[in-house]
Amino acid sequence: MFSGRGFPESEYELRVEKAQDLMRKRGLDGLLCTTHPDIYYFTGFLTRFWESPTRPWFLVVPQAGKPIAVIPKIGEALMRTTWIDEIRTWSSPDLKDDGVTLLADTLKERIGSGKVGLPSGHETHLRMPISDFENLKQLLSGITIANDAEILRTLRMVKSPAEIEKIKRACGIAHHAFSRVQEFAYPGTQLSLVFRKFQMVCLEEGADWVPYLAGGSDKFGYADVISPAGDAELQNGDVLMLDTGLTWDGYFCDYDRNFSIGAPDQIVVDAHKTLIEATQAGFEAVKPGAAARVLFEAMDRVLTGGKGGNENGRLGHGLGIQLTEWPSLIPSDETELQAGMVLTLEPGIGTKNGNMLVHEENIVVTQSGAEYLSTPADEKIVRV
Amino acid sequence: MFSGRGFPESEYELRVEKAQDLMRKRGLDGLLCTTHPDIYYFTGFLTRFWESPTRPWFLVVPQAGKPIAVIPKIGEALMRTTWIDEIRTWSSPDLKDDGVTLLADTLKERIGSGKVGLPSGHETHLRMPISDFENLKQLLSGITIANDAEILRTLRMVKSPAEIEKIKRACGIAHHAFSRVQEFAYPGTQLSLVFRKFQMVCLEEGADWVPYLAGGSDKFGYADVISPAGDAELQNGDVLMLDTGLTWDGYFCDYDRNFSIGAPDQIVVDAHKTLIEATQAGFEAVKPGAAARVLFEAMDRVLTGGKGGNENGRLGHGLGIQLTEWPSLIPSDETELQAGMVLTLEPGIGTKNGNMLVHEENIVVTQSGAEYLSTPADEKIVRV
């Protein structure tokens, strides 16, 4: 098992071969990638510089041959460290032509008069100015830009053993961090300080970055699961929830833990127990060939008796290079589970005063069922 | 001076009034925002949940009246804590219609048969699936979607006193973190560990998040300024550079520091001194009414004798809610400087073996010139 940073070149070759096979089957002559996850997937180009929205970045994956990077000069040295051979650069930002002509020329040269697939559907976006995209289409005489026929989704959804190792490592780092929450969470501590300390222990335990942390703290849970921390202090009897997406070598974990500050109310005790039962029901429903919705249904039976869930929409999702990826564990998602898919199981339950508890674990689909990547929590809520 | 978290409601009212004034002048009946920076700017809605690409988020700013949020149900509780009154939600993800009809109905109701501005130019992107955007345009009978006539850029480029306070606070946190680099950077330390430790001290000193950190370490500098850390160990005689974009209450600092591991080579000593001189030349060139390119020219005279810079493209940029914002300090940027603009001065210089040194400070344009927001570095490189 390859478990260091990066991937062997053979892994990138395999990813591109699979993409090219799907292009042939789905009638595309190339792919155009513009986002960090898609470009990292094919090249290994890893940087936090995506935080800067100034410059667009492009990768052309033709139906034959290696991908071609069309990128700002500032990224050339880093791209040269990857397996990509052909790197075309321009001095960006260029207020008149920020790589559009260079990209159009590259597409015309490599695709000729064909059809280029651009990820266009659910959970995608185009990371270049819309006005530049309109200019690009005008320059592309003979080339059609169509959707990517879900090729990126199809490929990225199923993880390789080396990708799973990275996610597992991220999960392990979060596990160690969660086990240290008692070091800094007690009555009188500001939630904002808890957030900062938790990020620090994530880093100390080995995280490269902590791109995501949400949570809350209140009696009987919290009103939502996406808020940043305020300066309110933890109170005895609160439920503290921390939900982290930390990364190792570009791969995320995404799971949470609930803690009772002092003795928990019976409502909280029961809610937490139900969430663990729901998670386990979801876990047991996993098998290759089943639809994603089946996991929703298994968890929802425990949570609501099968009423179809709540308005927050889903009880889990894929993860990998992104904090959230396909599929969604919702009643309408018919995506067929396959071995190698990495998922979160994320049941939630209302408690009292408009608050709720949410629990989350990370799993990988195997040939026969599933394995936990996070160390599953006990049904008894942890008291700090 | 308001210096706590958030902003008084009057600040949001003023932002919207200014936007509406510009809409009238530039012939728009409303604005459509889809990204974190634009939505945070008008609402104060602050969450790291943008890390998840699954759900689209919309804000409609009509030419009269308050903005209307059209957002996934999962964000309702947090949006209710802002000054926004009208919040329309749907249960997302919805694989058939992920908010598109709700957004179209809202636009038709509030804009009628008018023209909606969407940020479309340099440094923008549309954060929704392209296929959904095509569907939206089809649903909008009578409404035209045009570019936003640079309204968002115009507004966000000039910071209020309260915004400047937040950036200054972020700069101060980074200053304290940089002053502690000697605690953990010495020969034999892996660069990846230096990165983790530096993020930890940023958090310890008060950062909410550390969304951006790049850097490098090698003899005579580094080959680029966007790479993540590898596991190579610091060596005596290396130049270590750390460039951080940490945030406080949603506002970034963005500056770097160079350190010599042991005694610096004379080439490094001289390069660092030149960079500080270039920075100071840029600083002294700042005055309201001058073009952004004038700062480039002032720094470039020190760096190259006025040859027009290098291929990395620019010697500084705006910052605020984003790590990098308008304008760009490049020869072609004619943006007129105004009091309240926050900028980085970021000169770079080649040294030896293809390596370089880059120095960066953060400043604010005042009525008469500029003030440093970062504590400016000494011309003598810090030895650790």
Side-chain angles (χ1 to χ4, degrees):
Chain A
M1 172 58 57
F2 182 85
S3 61
R5 286 188 186 274
F7 294 98
E9 193 165 316
S10 57
E11 174 134 358
Y12 294 113
E13 286 169 350
L14 190 62
R15 292 177 186 180
V16 169
E17 277 170 28
K18 284 182 181 173
Q20 290 170 334
D21 184 51
L22 287 173
M23 284 183 228
R24 282 185 289 270
K25 286 177 180 158
R26 299 181 185 180
L28 291 171
D29 302 291
L31 293 173
L32 172 59
C33 302
T34 68
T35 64
H36 153 63
D38 291 346
I39 293 179
Y40 178 52
Y41 182 75
F42 283 127
T43 67
F45 182 77
L46 182 62
T47 170
R48 292 291 295 181
F49 199 60
W50 293 94
E51 190 66 39
S52 165
T54 297
R55 299 173 180 85
W57 304 75
F58 307 110
L59 188 78
V60 176
V61 187
Q63 209 200 69
K66 287 176 74 168
I68 304 116
V70 182
I71 60 171
K73 182 78 181 166
I74 198 171
E76 183 176 8
L78 183 58
M79 189 63 86
R80 288 259 170 249
T81 67
T82 73
W83 78 299
I84 300 299
D85 295 327
E86 194 171 345
I87 302 168
R88 301 179 178 193
T89 69
W90 79 99
S91 180
S92 175
D94 182 326
L95 302 183
K96 285 191 179 143
D97 182 356
D98 221 8
V100 176
T101 300
L102 186 63
L103 174 61
D105 288 347
T106 305
L107 286 169
K108 281 189 269 189
E109 186 187 316
R110 293 308 174 91
I111 311 296
S113 57
K115 198 163 146 190
V116 177
L118 176 75
S120 307
H122 190 57
E123 304 202 24
T124 71
H125 71 272
L126 173 69
R127 193 187 177 279
M128 69 185 290
I130 280 283
S131 58
D132 282 2
F133 184 58
E134 295 303 325
N135 291 341
L136 175 70
K137 285 193 285 190
Q138 296 238 325
L139 289 173
L140 289 179
S141 52
I143 297 180
T144 309
I145 296 190
N147 72 58
D148 77 332
E150 299 185 353
I151 290 177
L152 263 301
R153 174 193 304 200
T154 304
L155 291 176
R156 285 181 41 208
M157 197 154 45
V158 180
K159 273 70 179 176
S160 72
E163 288 182 290
I164 293 164
E165 277 302 301
K166 291 183 201 293
I167 299 170
K168 194 170 184 174
R169 182 155 175 171
C171 286
I173 293 165
H175 174 69
H176 289 296
F178 279 127
S179 72
R180 292 177 58 187
V181 167
Q182 59 197 12
E183 290 176 17
F184 48 84
Y186 31 75
T189 314
Q190 289 180 318
L191 187 59
S192 54
L193 182 61
V194 172
F195 267 45
R196 291 211 308 278
K197 294 266 191 186
F198 184 73
Q199 293 177 82
M200 288 168 67
V201 299
C202 288
L203 290 159
E204 194 169 336
E205 296 295 341
D208 292 335
W209 313 98
V210 190
Y212 185 69
L213 177 61
S217 179
D218 198 358
K219 298 272 177 269
F220 311 113
Y222 22 85
D224 80 351
V225 293
I226 69 165
S227 286
D231 291 335
E233 296 174 358
L234 300 187
Q235 307 284 332
N236 236 319
D238 278 359
V239 178
L240 165 68
M241 185 275 284
L242 294 167
D243 182 3
T244 191
L246 62 81
T247 63
W248 190 81
D249 205 27
Y251 282 77
F252 275 92
C253 69
D254 176 21
Y255 67 100
D256 79 351
R257 286 296 178 261
N258 291 278
F259 304 89
S260 180
I261 310 297
D265 188 279
Q266 192 60 40
I267 291 174
V268 169
V269 170
D270 294 344
H272 194 267
K273 185 166 178 287
T274 302
L275 291 177
I276 302 297
E277 285 169 6
T279 306
Q280 189 58 24
F283 180 83
E284 285 165 11
V286 180
K287 57 178 181 185
R293 67 168 166 75
V294 169
L295 277 56
F296 173 92
E297 289 158 3
M299 287 186 275
D300 187 55
R301 271 194 294 276
V302 177
L303 296 170
T304 73
K307 286 182 189 161
N310 61 36
E311 281 180 312
N312 281 343
R314 59 180 182 174
L315 300 182
H317 53 80
L319 81 157
I321 302 175
Q322 290 167 192
L323 178 70
T324 69
E325 297 184 356
W326 320 275
S328 287
L329 305 189
I330 52 178
S332 60
D333 197 326
E334 298 287 345
T335 305
E336 187 179 304
L337 299 184
Q338 297 173 60
M341 284 187 182
V342 175
L343 302 170
T344 76
L345 300 173
E346 189 176 13
I349 190 168
T351 51
K352 201 173 162 181
N353 302 347
N355 281 340
M356 61 179 161
L357 253 65
V358 174
H359 178 74
E360 192 171 19
E361 302 282 359
N362 297 163
I363 64 167
V364 57
V365 182
T366 64
Q367 296 294 345
S368 57
E371 280 174 17
Y372 281 104
L373 297 177
S374 51
T375 306
D378 194 72
E379 65 176 29
K380 196 171 158 188
I381 188 169
V382 173
R383 181 174 165 173
V384 294
Chain B
M1 171 57 59
F2 182 84
S3 62
R5 286 188 185 273
F7 294 97
E9 193 164 318
S10 57
E11 173 134 359
Y12 294 112
E13 286 168 352
L14 191 61
R15 293 176 185 180
V16 169
E17 277 168 27
K18 284 181 179 173
Q20 290 170 336
D21 184 51
L22 287 174
M23 283 184 228
R24 281 184 290 270
K25 286 176 178 157
R26 299 181 185 180
L28 290 172
D29 302 291
L31 294 173
L32 173 59
C33 302
T34 67
T35 65
H36 153 64
D38 292 345
I39 293 179
Y40 178 51
Y41 181 75
F42 283 127
T43 66
F45 181 78
L46 183 63
T47 169
R48 293 290 296 180
F49 199 59
W50 293 94
E51 190 66 39
S52 165
T54 298
R55 298 173 180 85
W57 303 74
F58 308 110
L59 188 77
V60 175
V61 187
Q63 209 199 69
K66 288 176 73 167
I68 304 115
V70 182
I71 60 172
K73 181 78 181 166
I74 197 171
E76 183 176 10
L78 183 58
M79 189 62 85
R80 288 257 170 250
T81 67
T82 73
W83 77 298
I84 300 300
D85 296 325
E86 194 171 345
I87 302 166
R88 301 180 178 193
T89 69
W90 79 98
S91 180
S92 175
D94 182 325
L95 302 184
K96 285 191 179 142
D97 182 356
D98 220 9
V100 176
T101 300
L102 186 63
L103 174 61
D105 288 347
T106 304
L107 286 169
K108 282 189 269 189
E109 184 186 317
R110 293 307 174 92
I111 312 296
S113 58
K115 199 162 143 189
V116 177
L118 177 74
S120 307
H122 191 56
E123 305 202 23
T124 71
H125 71 271
L126 173 70
R127 193 187 177 281
M128 69 185 290
I130 280 283
S131 58
D132 282 2
F133 184 57
E134 295 303 325
N135 291 341
L136 175 70
K137 286 193 285 191
Q138 297 239 325
L139 289 174
L140 289 178
S141 51
I143 297 180
T144 310
I145 296 190
N147 71 59
D148 77 331
E150 299 187 352
I151 289 177
L152 264 300
R153 174 193 305 199
T154 304
L155 292 176
R156 284 182 40 208
M157 197 154 47
V158 179
K159 273 71 180 176
S160 72
E163 288 183 289
I164 294 165
E165 277 302 301
K166 291 183 201 292
I167 299 170
K168 195 171 184 173
R169 180 155 176 172
C171 286
I173 293 165
H175 174 70
H176 289 296
F178 279 128
S179 72
R180 292 178 59 186
V181 168
Q182 59 196 11
E183 291 176 17
F184 48 82
Y186 31 75
T189 315
Q190 289 182 317
L191 187 60
S192 55
L193 182 61
V194 172
F195 267 45
R196 291 210 308 277
K197 293 267 191 187
F198 184 73
Q199 293 177 82
M200 287 169 67
V201 299
C202 289
L203 291 159
E204 194 168 336
E205 295 296 339
D208 291 336
W209 312 98
V210 190
Y212 186 69
L213 177 61
S217 179
D218 198 358
K219 298 273 176 270
F220 310 113
Y222 22 85
D224 81 351
V225 293
I226 68 165
S227 286
D231 291 335
E233 294 175 359
L234 300 187
Q235 306 283 332
N236 235 318
D238 278 359
V239 178
L240 165 68
M241 185 275 284
L242 295 169
D243 183 3
T244 189
L246 62 79
T247 63
W248 190 80
D249 206 27
Y251 281 78
F252 275 93
C253 69
D254 176 21
Y255 67 101
D256 79 350
R257 286 298 178 259
N258 291 279
F259 304 89
S260 180
I261 310 298
D265 188 280
Q266 192 59 40
I267 291 175
V268 169
V269 170
D270 295 344
H272 194 268
K273 186 166 177 287
T274 302
L275 291 178
I276 301 298
E277 286 168 7
T279 306
Q280 189 57 23
F283 180 83
E284 285 164 11
V286 179
K287 58 177 179 186
R293 67 169 166 74
V294 169
L295 277 57
F296 174 92
E297 290 158 4
M299 287 186 275
D300 188 54
R301 273 193 294 276
V302 177
L303 296 171
T304 73
K307 287 183 189 162
N310 61 35
E311 283 180 312
N312 281 344
R314 60 179 182 176
L315 300 181
H317 53 79
L319 80 157
I321 302 175
Q322 289 167 193
L323 177 71
T324 69
E325 296 184 357
W326 321 275
S328 287
L329 304 188
I330 53 178
S332 61
D333 197 325
E334 298 288 344
T335 305
E336 187 180 304
L337 299 184
Q338 298 173 59
M341 285 187 182
V342 174
L343 302 170
T344 75
L345 300 173
E346 189 177 13
I349 190 168
T351 52
K352 201 174 161 181
N353 302 348
N355 281 340
M356 63 178 160
L357 252 65
V358 174
H359 179 72
E360 192 170 20
E361 301 282 2
N362 296 163
I363 64 168
V364 58
V365 182
T366 64
Q367 296 295 345
S368 58
E371 280 173 18
Y372 280 105
L373 296 177
S374 51
T375 306
D378 193 73
E379 65 176 31
K380 197 171 156 188
I381 188 169
V382 173
R383 182 173 163 173
V384 295

